[in-house]
Amino acid sequence: MQHYFLKQSLVVDQIVELPTKIKHHFFGVLRSQPKAKLELVDENHIVFQAIAIDPELGTVKIETQLDRQTDLPVEATIICGLAKQSKPELIVQKATELGVAEVIFIPMERSIVKWGSKSEKKIERLQEVAVSAAEQSHRNSVPNIRYLAKLTELADQNYDRALIAYEEAAKQGEKAQLVQNLEQLSSGESVSCVFGPEGGITDTEVNWLTDHGYQPVGLGPRILRTETAPMYFLSAVSVILELSQM
Amino acid sequence: MQHYFLKQSLVVDQIVELPTKIKHHFFGVLRSQPKAKLELVDENHIVFQAIAIDPELGTVKIETQLDRQTDLPVEATIICGLAKQSKPELIVQKATELGVAEVIFIPMERSIVKWGSKSEKKIERLQEVAVSAAEQSHRNSVPNIRYLAKLTELADQNYDRALIAYEEAAKQGEKAQLVQNLEQLSSGESVSCVFGPEGGITDTEVNWLTDHGYQPVGLGPRILRTETAPMYFLSAVSVILELSQM
């Protein structure tokens, strides 16, 4: 069933005129007929089932409230060094499917690409990728995509647990650090994890981060590419907090 | 450091002439000079550090045996319905990084693409993707990539635990099934998991699989794309067997 996000609150029996983009997709591209079902998520992250009324007017009627929660039980943020080519798109798409709350991109010392003045456009495009992935994976919310111009701007961010994906951590035998940190999180708390770009994170960056409360953790013994590490991390959050703690 | 796989056994102090392809990459593309270091994995999955001797002859000398194990502690196989476009490449690349032992592609009822007579060429290409990803993630072995023409050919495969990634399993409250199954695996045992193509797995397929010992498990509450589900599964194998059980 199609799944769309609206920027308004909804109640059962309400008749809603779909926003232009959604109307175009649901009634235009998909040629949905009256009585076709769809899911709408309102601004409070509540999912409703709705039914198509009039394709011309783009109206639907809210039928029932669905008691479904598909966001992670914690607010998970991934903080990624700028990576090359279409890797940011892949990161945003996969992280959204895996339940991320926010993705922050930052130019890091070993980032080869620079976004500079293009950063606003890039983030706009990535935000669209997030909407589309959130629709497809039936999320209760769309992740927020942001750009910070410098690593040190992270000083203004607060997380209940702040981590760094760091190969060296795994080598030093701190294999269990990730799981231990995740197990200590309570529902509604926040966790973030920093991922270096293709060349990895530098010692200077790791030092700055640890001085600001970030803890290095290993993600297993294999070397993961810059776009794969966040997928591993978010899967781990889900496995530990959604599948293990019953 | 560069990491290559050789189809021979190695011993310390041995002088090895690199196979043409590896010689071309290491000495040609990368222009490595005498005394440049590299890692070679022999046919027994043992990793050695080697040093370049002669770029013209393509010779290197084996210096030390590295006591490094980066393969998963269990033999993990993913069995994937044929998916569209470059998804099989992405699946093989990411699964290799995440430690998979074998990837099997099968045309399933809802697969839109058919490989038919192209299957041999496709598998050959995907095997190359696996080699390249195994080199980059410093694996001790290259995963095996295979094609089966029919789901029922799985009857000939034996795994200690055989699972099906199945959305409905999650809805039925069987959230903990994946973790429980993984926790019961011992080092050296085998586990497989079946993933449907874009349209999902059919009831007929699920029934045949459960009749043959496959157990449906949920991968969390979100709908994962066909290429994302195997990444989640393999991350879960690593989190449970490499990071949690110390």
Side-chain angles (χ1 to χ4, degrees):
Chain A
M1 199 180 302
Q2 288 304 125
H3 184 98
Y4 300 108
F5 294 88
L6 299 186
K7 286 173 185 157
Q8 64 181 95
S9 65
L10 298 172
V11 289
V12 169
D13 288 336
Q14 188 181 351
I15 305 287
V16 181
E17 198 184 316
L18 296 176
T20 315
K21 249 186 170 169
I22 297 174
K23 178 187 168 187
H24 172 71
H25 188 259
F26 186 64
F27 287 115
V29 179
L30 300 179
R31 302 182 186 197
S32 302
Q33 297 301 312
K35 293 197 180 163
K37 307 266 184 179
L38 70 163
E39 285 176 10
L40 295 175
V41 188
D42 79 354
E43 63 178 2
N44 306 309
H45 312 309
I46 300 168
V47 189
F48 294 86
Q49 185 173 295
I51 184 167
I53 305 281
D54 188 326
E56 287 305 312
L57 299 174
T59 48
V60 302
K61 184 179 177 187
I62 306 299
E63 288 199 318
T64 46
Q65 179 176 328
L66 302 176
D67 182 25
R68 197 204 298 146
Q69 177 49 260
T70 58
D71 287 352
L72 285 171
V74 295
E75 297 259 312
T77 296
I78 59 169
I79 301 164
C80 305
L82 293 191
K84 289 191 289 185
Q85 296 156 347
S86 61
K87 283 181 184 179
E89 276 86 346
L90 185 64
I91 290 171
V92 168
Q93 184 193 77
K94 295 298 163 235
T96 300
E97 283 178 69
L98 294 166
V100 81
E102 183 159 89
V103 184
I104 300 178
F105 289 97
I106 303 183
M108 293 191 191
E109 289 182 30
R110 296 206 182 113
S111 290
I112 292 163
V113 289
K114 305 276 172 234
W115 287 1
S117 60
K118 283 179 293 179
S119 64
E120 210 172 311
K121 268 226 149 126
K122 290 266 190 190
I123 293 298
E124 213 173 284
R125 165 76 194 123
L126 291 171
Q127 189 64 61
E128 283 171 14
V129 172
V131 170
S132 164
E135 287 174 358
Q136 182 153 355
S137 55
H138 287 213
R139 291 277 307 265
N140 287 53
S141 63
V142 178
N144 192 31
I145 317 298
R146 291 166 63 201
Y147 175 80
L148 292 180
K150 282 198 303 249
L151 189 74
T152 51
E153 291 183 23
L154 284 177
D156 302 329
Q157 310 295 316
N158 282 303
Y159 304 103
D160 294 307
R161 303 236 156 212
L163 310 171
I164 315 167
Y166 192 43
E167 274 171 37
E168 298 303 319
K171 287 189 194 149
Q172 287 152 20
E174 297 175 21
K175 280 208 262 176
Q177 286 295 331
L178 175 66
V179 171
Q180 282 167 13
N181 271 284
L182 295 179
E183 282 175 346
Q184 284 161 22
L185 280 167
S186 304
S187 186
E189 285 192 325
S190 61
V191 58
S192 69
C193 190
V194 178
F195 301 89
E198 284 91 349
I201 193 160
T202 66
D203 286 349
T204 319
E205 289 170 328
V206 170
N207 290 338
W208 185 88
L209 287 164
T210 51
D211 284 349
H212 289 77
Y214 285 76
Q215 189 187 336
V217 298
L219 304 183
R222 286 163 300 283
I223 296 174
L224 300 177
R225 289 180 208 223
T226 182
E227 74 276 18
T228 316
M231 303 179 198
Y232 182 102
F233 168 73
L234 291 166
S235 301
V237 173
S238 169
V239 168
I240 299 298
L241 296 173
E242 292 184 321
L243 302 192
S244 305
Q245 296 183 349
M246 309 285 294
Chain B
M1 198 181 302
Q2 288 304 125
H3 185 98
Y4 301 107
F5 293 88
L6 299 187
K7 286 172 184 159
Q8 63 181 98
S9 65
L10 298 172
V11 289
V12 169
D13 288 337
Q14 187 181 350
I15 306 286
V16 181
E17 198 184 317
L18 296 177
T20 315
K21 250 185 170 169
I22 298 175
K23 178 186 169 189
H24 171 72
H25 188 258
F26 186 65
F27 287 115
V29 179
L30 300 179
R31 302 182 186 196
S32 302
Q33 298 300 313
K35 292 199 181 162
K37 306 266 183 181
L38 70 162
E39 285 177 10
L40 295 176
V41 187
D42 78 354
E43 62 179 1
N44 306 309
H45 313 308
I46 300 169
V47 189
F48 294 86
Q49 186 172 296
I51 185 168
I53 305 281
D54 189 326
E56 288 305 313
L57 298 175
T59 48
V60 301
K61 184 180 177 187
I62 306 299
E63 286 200 319
T64 47
Q65 179 176 328
L66 302 176
D67 181 25
R68 196 204 297 148
Q69 178 49 259
T70 59
D71 286 351
L72 286 172
V74 294
E75 298 259 312
T77 296
I78 59 169
I79 302 164
C80 305
L82 293 191
K84 289 191 289 184
Q85 295 155 347
S86 61
K87 283 179 184 180
E89 275 86 345
L90 185 64
I91 290 171
V92 167
Q93 185 194 75
K94 295 299 164 231
T96 301
E97 284 178 67
L98 293 166
V100 81
E102 182 159 87
V103 184
I104 299 178
F105 289 97
I106 303 184
M108 293 191 193
E109 289 182 28
R110 296 207 182 112
S111 289
I112 291 163
V113 288
K114 304 274 171 236
W115 286 2
S117 60
K118 284 180 294 182
S119 64
E120 210 172 310
K121 268 226 148 127
K122 290 267 188 189
I123 292 298
E124 212 174 282
R125 165 77 193 124
L126 291 171
Q127 189 65 60
E128 283 172 13
V129 171
V131 170
S132 164
E135 287 174 359
Q136 182 152 356
S137 55
H138 287 215
R139 291 277 309 264
N140 286 53
S141 64
V142 178
N144 192 31
I145 317 297
R146 290 166 64 200
Y147 175 79
L148 293 181
K150 282 197 302 248
L151 189 74
T152 50
E153 291 183 23
L154 285 177
D156 301 329
Q157 309 295 315
N158 283 304
Y159 304 104
D160 293 306
R161 303 237 156 212
L163 309 172
I164 315 167
Y166 192 44
E167 275 171 36
E168 299 302 320
K171 288 189 195 151
Q172 288 152 19
E174 297 176 22
K175 283 208 260 176
Q177 286 295 333
L178 174 65
V179 171
Q180 282 168 13
N181 270 285
L182 296 179
E183 281 176 348
Q184 284 162 20
L185 281 167
S186 304
S187 186
E189 286 192 323
S190 61
V191 59
S192 68
C193 190
V194 178
F195 302 89
E198 284 92 347
I201 192 161
T202 66
D203 287 348
T204 319
E205 288 170 329
V206 170
N207 289 340
W208 185 88
L209 287 164
T210 51
D211 285 349
H212 288 77
Y214 284 76
Q215 189 187 336
V217 298
L219 304 184
R222 286 162 301 284
I223 296 174
L224 301 176
R225 287 179 211 225
T226 183
E227 74 277 19
T228 315
M231 303 178 197
Y232 182 103
F233 168 74
L234 292 166
S235 300
V237 173
S238 169
V239 168
I240 299 298
L241 297 173
E242 293 184 322
L243 301 191
S244 305
Q245 296 183 348
M246 309 284 295

